[in-house]
Structures are given as C-alpha cells and as structure tokens.
Amino acid sequence: MTATCQAPTAVLIAFELHGSGDFAVIPDRLFVRITGVSRREHGYVDLIDYACSHPNDPYVISGAYPHGNYTSDCKSGTEGGQDYTALRAAVRWIASDSVEANWITDATQDNSDSTATTILGTPASIFGATVPAWMGAPYDNRFLPSNPYVSYANFLDPGVTYRPIDTAGTAGPKVGAFYATPNNQLTSWGTSFTLDWKLLPDLSLKSISSYRHYVSQFGDDNSASPVPLVLEEARFTHKQGSEEVRLNGTWGTLLDYTIGGIYFDYTTYYASREDDPFLALFYGGPATPTFDFLQNDPTHTKTEAGFVNTGWHFTDALTLNTGIRFTHEDKTYTYHRLNIDGVTEYLPLSNPANPLNNTVGEYKGSHVDYRVDLDYQWLPTLMTYAEFSTGFKGGGVTPRPYYPQQVIGFGPETLKSYEVGVKSEWLDHSLRANLATFYQQYNNYQAGADASSCIDSSGNLLPPQYANPCGEYLNVANAIGKGFEAELEYLLGGLSINSSFSYLDQYFTSSTATSVKVGQVPPNIGKIRASAGIQYASPWVASARSRHVWTSRTRRTPAVTWPVRRMCRTRPTRLPMAG
C-alpha cells in the first residue's frame, strides 16, 4: 500500500521576537554582545476527542473508545505548536596585539507541542477483522478526518494487554493504563572559549574549548486515534565536552600548514517507556504478552584525532593542498530492559539464562583519512581544481537488540570521492559561476539487518531463535554516486539573485542483506535538486528575501512495520513573522 501526503494549505501567523545589543565595556579592548529570540506559534493540528465528536459511534456508546478531557468544541490540545526562548552572550577580549580571547555561552528553553501527525489511510481489511478481538474496538477508516489538520490521538493506552511473568511468555496481569505526555521539550545550555595567540610573526596557536548539556523529553502516539498502536515517552540527558588545539604557520611564500588535535567526550542517558500494544496482534492474540518495558540506557563515546594540513604554493597560480587525519573512537552502550515496576527484568528481552539487561556493547576502531587537491589560478577571476579525498561515518553499537546475541559492534562507513571543478567571476565580479562534477565510492554502508543477515560477534549467522526479529545495525552494502552541481549568483547594488542545480545518480552495487537491493537508490536521495532565490537590501529599505527549493522524489525509510500509511508531517504556509 503506497502513501501519499496532502500538501497543507492552511495559513498561520507566527510571532517571533529578536533582539541584540553590542557594548564596548573597555574601548578597543573588551566587547560584549547579547542576543535573544522568542517564538510562539499555535499548533496547526487540533487534537479532537473522538468520543466527544462522534457520540453515536457504537464503540463510543459501549465505552471501547473512552472519553477524555476536552473543551466545548471537543478539542483537547494541539500538535505542531512552537514555544521557545533562547539567549546568547558573547564576550571578546583583545588582551594585546598578539592575544585575543572569545567566550560564548547560550541557553534554550523549549516547551513546544508534540510533532504534528495525521492519518492518511488505514488498512481496514487487515485490522478491522482482528483488532476488535484484541482491543475491543477496531482501528479503521473511521479515524480518517475530513479536515487534514485534525488528529484523534489521545496518547493513552488503557492497559488491556498483558505482561509476561516467565521466559515462556505466559500472560500475567494486565499492564495498566499509560499516558504519554504530548510534548516536545528541551532545556539546553552550552559554553565555549577560544584563545588565539600569535607566538611569532609566522606562527600562531588556537585553542577551542567547549561544553554542552541538555535534557530533552517527548511523547508520541503513532496511531493518531483512540486505539493505541505504539506509544512512547522518552527522556534524553546529554553532556559533552571537547578540546581542539591548532598550530598554524607559514614557511616563506612556499608553505602554509596547520597541525592539530581534537578530544571529544560525551555521555547520554536514554530513558523511555516503549509501549507497543499492537504487537499482540501479530504474536498470538490478546492473551499473548506484548512489548511494554522501561529502558534507561547510558552511552559513552570518546574520540581522539590528530591532523595535518598543508598548502604548497609552487607558483602564484599553482597550489597543492594536502591533508591527513587519524581518528580513534571508543563507544559503549549499556542495555537496561525492565518491567514497568522498574525493578524486575523484562523477560521477553532479558532473562537470567539469556541476559540482555546490564549487557554492555562496545566498539573500538581507528581510521585514517586524507585529501589531495590541486588548484590552478588561470586568471584572478578563474580557478580550476581537481581533488581526491576520503571520509568516514563512525562505527558504533547496535542500539535496539532483541537478544544479547545481537549485541555487536559495526564498523565505519567509508567514502572515496573524486571531484573536478571550476570557480569563476565575471562582469566585474557581479556574476559568480561555479561548476563541479564528482564520482563517489561508498563502502560498508550502515543499515538495519534482517533475519537472513543477522550475525554474531564472530560474523556467523545466528540461529533462527536469535535472529527473528533482528535488531542489529550492520555494514551491509556498497554504493556509488556520480553527478554534477552548478551555482550562479548575480549581484547588482543591493540586489542578489542566486540559483543552483544538482544531479546525483546514487545506487547500491552490492549487498549482504535482503533489506538492501542491488541497484536500489539509498533512502532520502533525490536525483535532481534545484533552488532559486532573490534578496534585496539597502540602507533605507529593510532586507527582503525569497527562496524556493525543489527536490525530485526520494525513497523514504519506513518508520514503522505495521501496514499503515504514514502520516503527513509537512507544515502549513506561514505569514511573515510579527514582533
């Protein structure tokens, strides 16, 4: 069954207030800048209590679809609204002609609604005959609203499914009611300190120190109806610190160089209640225990890297740029799977004979990347280049295993890129034109595995009892990508007109998992992307800007496994911001 998304047509007004101030505390030495923003936007999807708006539905009369808290128009809240305030302070201190320090700190408080989600279609032919025996009420097309900006989600599981009491999956007591708070909250703050020190006329040192902490909480109801399918309430607590040091120098007119190192360390706690009552439908019926558990998983990552970049100016026109970087990663993930009492182990995912609870997954690995780039400046306004570079996406640990046998690490996804291009300016620097073409090789593409490719830590296929379902994330495929991109920008006084066009042909060339097909385009990759924009600014007229972007159709990665058409997550058009 295919999914389509109806384009929003509603118009909303968002109120946003910006403010900033610059101060010279000590003239020519100490400066302060303070910036703030506050945004308020009403949610554009209304949460409607289905029992209130459909009092004659027989399942409402029987009590299968419960009444909730609502106003006289049956509205219980909204989704998609924004409510955040952020502040930023920056201090610049010019201590001497050779030393400058910059300190920046920021804080954000976000109390926005949950993500806007509405139903486009439900496969009543599948659910309609089965769900009544399971939940006492069907999940069918009655929840398709005539208004695309209405959802009947109530974020409530009445708790009629059962909890397991042993490793054999025997049904125990009912799990009880669970309410996932419909919000999307964030409390965040961070700070950074940058020191620039000119040691010698041709040698300088830069140090960048930073720290960030945030707590994020959100609730989801993926059914958009009073029949619970998947509910989640999650809380992330994150802290990170980093230090980067660079030594920049020159050697006459021949060589520019940078030598540096990076240290990065972060810890995240992922606490949630995962309530998937719909799984009882697929695993034996109403008497079968289903997924409903707590987790509080700490992850820790430490990254160390060193790099050297050089620029060799052989002539005024010919420059060779080179770079090399060594990176070492160390990542751990500790799994906790508990019953809703928060004490006993959740037996379908962990038991004394096969314990996933308190199991630690680990990945350690090192990688070397390099870059070679040759530039030739034909004219002051015309330069061509040819470049070869490598890159990688770090390895990690399977985040959602179903069995401890699936707790394994996966390696980095790597890239080799070849690119040639031209950068130019014309008409007395009024017209800028850039063109590039490229070829890319992706190896060890990271994706979810399936039962046919689920492996143990030695690379051997897991037996069926530990492979279905498979929660592993592995290196399963190779791919290539090729294409070109062009950019144009025209400047005339305060008028700026810009446009871009790109073409990308990317597809898998090999695969070890049935979930990835040879010749298939990776998710979220569009072949053609184009944009155009215009902006005007002058000392007498406030800046005005318009920009349009178009991307060809892409293949989406499914977010759920039940046969329900996914929800529309695009936002309506807005009027210009006021305030």
Side-chain angles (χ1 to χ4, degrees):
M1 180 174 290
T2 58
T4 59
C5 186
Q6 179 176 350
T9 56
V11 176
L12 300 177
I13 297 177
F15 294 91
E16 187 166 328
L17 179 65
H18 291 262
S20 64
D22 297 278
F23 314 94
V25 180
I26 301 177
D28 301 324
R29 289 294 181 184
L30 184 61
F31 309 90
V32 175
R33 177 168 188 164
I34 299 175
T35 305
V37 60
S38 183
R39 181 181 177 89
R40 300 291 186 274
E41 179 184 315
H42 193 68
Y44 59 92
V45 169
D46 290 333
L47 292 174
I48 300 297
D49 184 275
Y50 182 83
C52 170
S53 61
H54 296 78
N56 297 322
D57 188 306
Y59 292 100
V60 172
I61 295 173
S62 70
Y65 297 148
H67 284 272
N69 295 321
Y70 51 84
T71 58
S72 58
D73 58 359
C74 298
K75 185 176 174 181
S76 62
T78 61
E79 291 182 325
Q82 293 184 332
D83 180 359
Y84 64 81
T85 299
L87 293 173
R88 182 178 185 268
V91 178
R92 182 187 181 198
W93 179 38
I94 303 176
S96 67
D97 293 341
S98 59
V99 177
E100 178 179 327
N102 287 273
W103 172 71
I104 300 173
T105 189
D106 65 83
T108 300
Q109 182 66 53
D110 191 340
N111 294 302
S112 297
D113 292 345
S114 58
T115 301
T117 303
T118 59
I119 298 176
L120 295 178
T122 60
S125 60
I126 296 176
F127 283 100
T130 308
V131 173
W134 163 58
M135 294 294 292
Y139 181 72
D140 56 24
N141 290 340
R142 73 188 66 211
F143 302 124
L144 292 177
S146 57
N147 183 342
Y149 301 106
V150 163
S151 171
Y152 296 120
N154 61 6
F155 293 81
L156 175 67
D157 177 0
V160 300
T161 51
Y162 296 86
R163 189 174 64 181
I165 58 174
D166 57 32
T167 57
T170 306
K174 291 184 177 181
V175 294
F178 167 52
Y179 178 71
T181 309
N183 62 12
N184 198 351
Q185 297 180 338
L186 172 69
T187 301
S188 171
W189 71 273
T191 187
S192 67
F193 180 78
T194 302
L195 178 67
D196 291 283
W197 185 6
K198 195 172 185 64
L199 304 173
L200 297 170
D202 56 357
L203 187 65
S204 61
L205 178 72
K206 178 184 283 287
S207 170
I208 306 171
S209 308
S210 67
Y211 177 83
R212 179 159 298 279
H213 179 275
Y214 71 78
V215 177
S216 173
Q217 181 170 321
F218 64 88
D220 278 336
D221 181 345
N222 286 347
S223 72
S225 80
V227 176
L229 297 179
V230 176
L231 294 174
E232 177 185 19
E233 182 155 0
R235 180 182 179 91
F236 291 86
T237 303
H238 175 90
K239 59 182 179 179
Q240 69 178 56
S242 66
E243 173 65 31
E244 179 176 352
V245 178
R246 305 180 205 155
L247 194 64
N248 303 299
T250 61
W251 184 31
T253 60
L254 176 63
L255 176 64
D256 299 326
Y257 62 87
T258 299
I259 303 172
I262 299 172
Y263 178 82
F264 176 70
D265 189 294
Y266 83 77
T267 300
T268 299
Y269 288 87
Y270 173 26
S272 72
R273 178 168 176 178
E274 305 292 332
D275 181 19
D276 301 346
F278 86 98
L279 289 178
L281 172 65
F282 298 104
Y283 292 98
T288 303
T290 187
F291 276 6
D292 188 1
F293 63 91
L294 302 178
Q295 69 179 60
N296 187 13
D297 297 352
T299 65
H300 180 238
T301 292
K302 182 171 66 176
T303 301
E304 299 155 323
F307 55 88
V308 177
N309 293 313
T310 63
W312 299 86
H313 308 289
F314 297 120
T315 70
D316 291 340
L318 182 64
T319 299
L320 175 66
N321 299 296
T322 66
I324 187 169
R325 170 177 168 138
F326 173 82
T327 305
H328 177 74
E329 297 180 299
D330 189 343
K331 302 180 180 181
T332 60
Y333 193 115
T334 304
Y335 305 91
H336 294 112
R337 301 292 182 267
L338 300 175
N339 279 313
I340 57 175
D341 59 12
V343 178
T344 57
E345 293 187 38
Y346 181 68
L347 298 179
L349 293 180
S350 184
N351 62 73
N354 201 28
L356 175 59
N357 202 53
N358 291 319
T359 296
V360 179
E362 185 174 15
Y363 165 77
K364 288 185 178 181
S366 300
H367 199 270
V368 177
D369 287 302
Y370 47 92
R371 169 178 175 262
V372 179
D373 170 80
L374 190 63
D375 300 342
Y376 194 83
Q377 195 79 39
W378 300 89
L379 298 169
T381 57
L382 179 64
M383 186 267 283
T384 58
Y385 67 93
E387 178 185 80
F388 171 75
S389 61
T390 68
F392 80 101
K393 178 181 177 182
V397 183
T398 293
R400 288 287 184 93
Y402 293 96
Y403 306 97
Q405 289 80 0
Q406 296 176 5
V407 178
I408 63 173
F410 55 89
E413 178 181 320
T414 62
L415 169 68
K416 293 181 179 179
S417 177
Y418 306 81
E419 182 175 334
V420 295
V422 56
K423 297 181 180 293
S424 64
E425 292 182 345
W426 308 86
L427 304 178
D428 194 25
H429 305 285
S430 295
L431 178 64
R432 180 178 301 137
N434 301 326
L435 179 66
T437 183
F438 54 86
Y439 179 84
Q440 300 169 332
Q441 294 176 307
Y442 293 87
N443 292 318
N444 299 315
Y445 177 82
Q446 298 169 352
D450 48 43
S452 66
S453 57
C454 213
I455 59 176
D456 61 20
S457 57
S458 300
N460 300 315
L461 288 175
L462 287 171
Q465 65 267 33
Y466 299 131
N468 189 17
C470 183
E472 292 181 346
Y473 207 71
L474 300 175
N475 305 100
V476 300
N478 298 327
I480 63 171
K482 50 191 175 181
F484 67 90
E485 56 188 13
E487 298 175 328
L488 285 174
E489 183 176 16
Y490 181 68
L491 304 174
L492 179 62
L495 180 66
S496 171
I497 303 173
N498 59 78
S499 64
S500 66
F501 180 88
S502 65
Y503 172 82
L504 173 60
D505 183 18
Q506 187 169 330
Y507 53 89
F508 293 111
T509 57
S510 64
S511 173
T512 59
T514 57
S515 57
V516 177
K517 309 292 185 183
V518 173
Q520 187 180 60
V521 178
N524 303 317
I525 298 294
K527 277 196 173 186
I528 298 175
R529 181 179 177 88
S531 68
I534 184 170
Q535 180 172 330
Y536 181 77
S538 75
W540 305 278
V541 180
S543 175
R545 178 174 58 185
S546 177
R547 181 172 175 82
H548 301 272
V549 179
W550 180 85
T551 304
S552 61
R553 180 175 295 181
T554 64
R555 185 176 72 86
R556 305 282 184 181
T557 301
V560 291
T561 55
W562 69 86
V564 178
R565 294 166 68 185
R566 279 308 289 157
M567 296 75 172
C568 177
R569 294 184 182 268
T570 52
R571 301 175 68 85
T573 305
R574 290 177 178 75
L575 295 177
M577 292 176 289

